[in-house]
Amino acid sequence: MTSNHPARRGLSLVFSLAMAFGAGHAFAEARTLDTAYGPVTVDGDVERVVTLYEGALDSAYAVGVEPVGAIMTRGGDSVATYLQDRADGINIVGTARETNLEAVVALQPDIILASSRLPKEQYDLLSKVAPTLVPTTSGFKPDNWRAEAEFFAKALDKEDEMQQALTDVDAHIAEVARTVEARIPADERDAVLARWMPQGPLIMASTLFSTGLLEATGFTVGDAGAVKANRPHSSPLSQENLNLMDGDWLFLATLNTEGRDALAAAEKSPAYNRLSVVEKGHVIPVDGQIWTSATGPLAAQSILDTIESQLPDAR
């Protein structure tokens, strides 16, 4: 029955409009996250996202969110090369070490996703601009990236999408692990990850995101005792200490042109060419922007692709 009473007709119209609009758009519920600086509530949908951490940018793209601002990658002048197709036109708002607060304010973000290492002073400033989400992870642990990816996904109200992304990564890990087992004998899987810088090579810790993926696929990753506790890498190695990188496999990263030039010069030196891993042809060149700087589901897939493509042929 249709009411002719003006007040009732008005209420009916409001109710109908609310139902019609609600049917086409599901608003995100408010969610409260435990962060490094206490609980932070994100209320409803977020459209303008600024990321101050490479892992946050990767996670956002992995769940279908396109941030409006991000920091440049280490050794580069924009976001990491593996994300540049997705990040066309994104605004750069600083580096991992220093945020350009004015640039962040200009973007009028709904939320800011940051690294667990964001200093309290910067947090206090940024949180006045928008809710700022800082994960509670600490130190260098191979699985920190998973906890951070889930954290950022909750902030974006994309938890289901992230679970699917992580499930896909786990399936890829299992696939690569089967191939490693089939193609490399168990006693020939010692591996080192190093990054060649203009000052010399750094051995990367065995507790990082990428070295954790190497371990998960069947390699045994070491650092020859060159990396101090809770540090991401060693000091630059001298020519006399290059043997610390030796082993069955060497995954060798560079970040930029300067690093690649330094490596090209070293590859002509006797000390480098005496390494058994060089003589065996088991030096695998990898992208340092992914292997030594990035984290997240998309970076994980790229690392797994590289491992898989560089494995020796079937025995």
Side-chain angles (χ1 to χ4, degrees):
M1 182 175 68
T2 300
S3 172
N4 292 321
H5 191 284
R8 289 177 183 166
R9 286 202 304 273
L11 287 173
S12 177
L13 177 61
V14 170
F15 180 75
S16 298
L17 288 172
M19 290 295 290
F21 189 67
H25 184 91
F27 290 106
E29 295 182 355
R31 54 264 185 215
T32 299
L33 290 87
D34 292 325
T35 82
Y37 296 118
V40 174
T41 297
V42 179
D43 192 1
D45 294 330
V46 292
E47 296 181 354
R48 300 185 63 80
V49 179
V50 168
T51 63
L52 304 180
Y53 175 47
E54 289 160 315
L57 182 64
D58 184 298
S59 295
Y61 284 130
V63 298
V65 172
E66 297 184 5
V68 294
I71 58 169
M72 63 181 70
T73 189
R74 292 172 179 79
D77 56 8
S78 183
V79 302
T81 51
Y82 80 103
L83 293 176
Q84 286 184 1
D85 285 347
R86 299 170 187 264
D88 185 32
I90 198 167
N91 298 281
I92 298 299
V93 296
T95 67
R97 292 180 180 275
E98 185 174 4
T99 302
N100 183 334
L101 188 60
E102 290 182 355
V104 174
V105 171
L107 292 175
Q108 300 181 312
D110 296 323
I111 60 170
I112 299 168
L113 305 180
S115 159
S116 62
R117 293 181 289 281
L118 183 74
K120 181 68 162 53
E121 288 182 358
Q122 288 190 36
Y123 172 80
D124 288 340
L125 293 172
L126 291 163
S127 61
K128 293 176 182 176
V129 179
T132 300
L133 288 301
V134 180
T136 57
T137 49
S138 62
F140 297 98
K141 300 174 184 174
D143 281 339
N144 271 359
W145 74 275
R146 288 179 185 270
E148 291 174 353
E150 291 171 342
F151 174 88
F152 295 132
K154 183 175 181 179
L156 297 167
D157 193 38
K158 297 286 185 180
E159 292 175 276
D160 290 346
E161 291 84 346
M162 181 55 73
Q163 287 309 311
Q164 184 58 58
L166 295 177
T167 297
D168 292 345
V169 170
D170 287 336
H172 199 175
I173 288 173
E175 174 190 327
V176 177
R178 287 192 293 271
T179 308
V180 170
E181 183 176 7
R183 299 189 185 181
I184 304 176
D187 59 353
E188 297 177 13
R189 298 180 195 162
D190 288 344
V192 170
L193 172 64
R195 184 172 71 201
W196 209 290
M197 304 293 286
Q199 301 82 6
L202 313 173
I203 292 182
M204 306 304 293
S206 58
T207 53
L208 304 180
F209 161 67
S210 52
T211 46
L213 289 171
L214 276 172
E215 287 272 2
T217 56
F219 289 92
T220 301
V221 183
D223 63 19
V227 183
K228 294 180 180 178
N230 208 28
R231 297 290 299 170
H233 54 69
S234 72
S235 300
L237 301 182
S238 65
Q239 289 282 309
E240 291 75 20
N241 287 330
L242 286 188
N243 63 310
L244 295 178
M245 301 192 308
D246 215 352
D248 295 321
W249 298 88
L250 174 59
F251 292 82
L252 189 52
T254 52
L255 278 178
N256 49 27
T257 302
E258 290 78 8
R260 288 189 287 276
D261 290 345
L263 174 59
E267 287 173 337
K268 300 174 183 175
S269 71
Y272 179 86
N273 285 287
R274 279 197 297 268
L275 298 176
S276 64
V277 71
V278 175
E279 293 174 346
K280 288 184 288 192
H282 285 181
V283 179
I284 309 298
V286 298
D287 185 338
Q289 291 187 1
I290 304 174
W291 282 68
T292 67
S293 293
T295 69
L298 300 178
Q301 293 285 14
S302 178
I303 287 171
L304 293 166
D305 284 341
T306 299
I307 297 171
E308 196 167 29
S309 67
Q310 296 294 332
L311 291 174
D313 294 336
R315 288 179 288 176

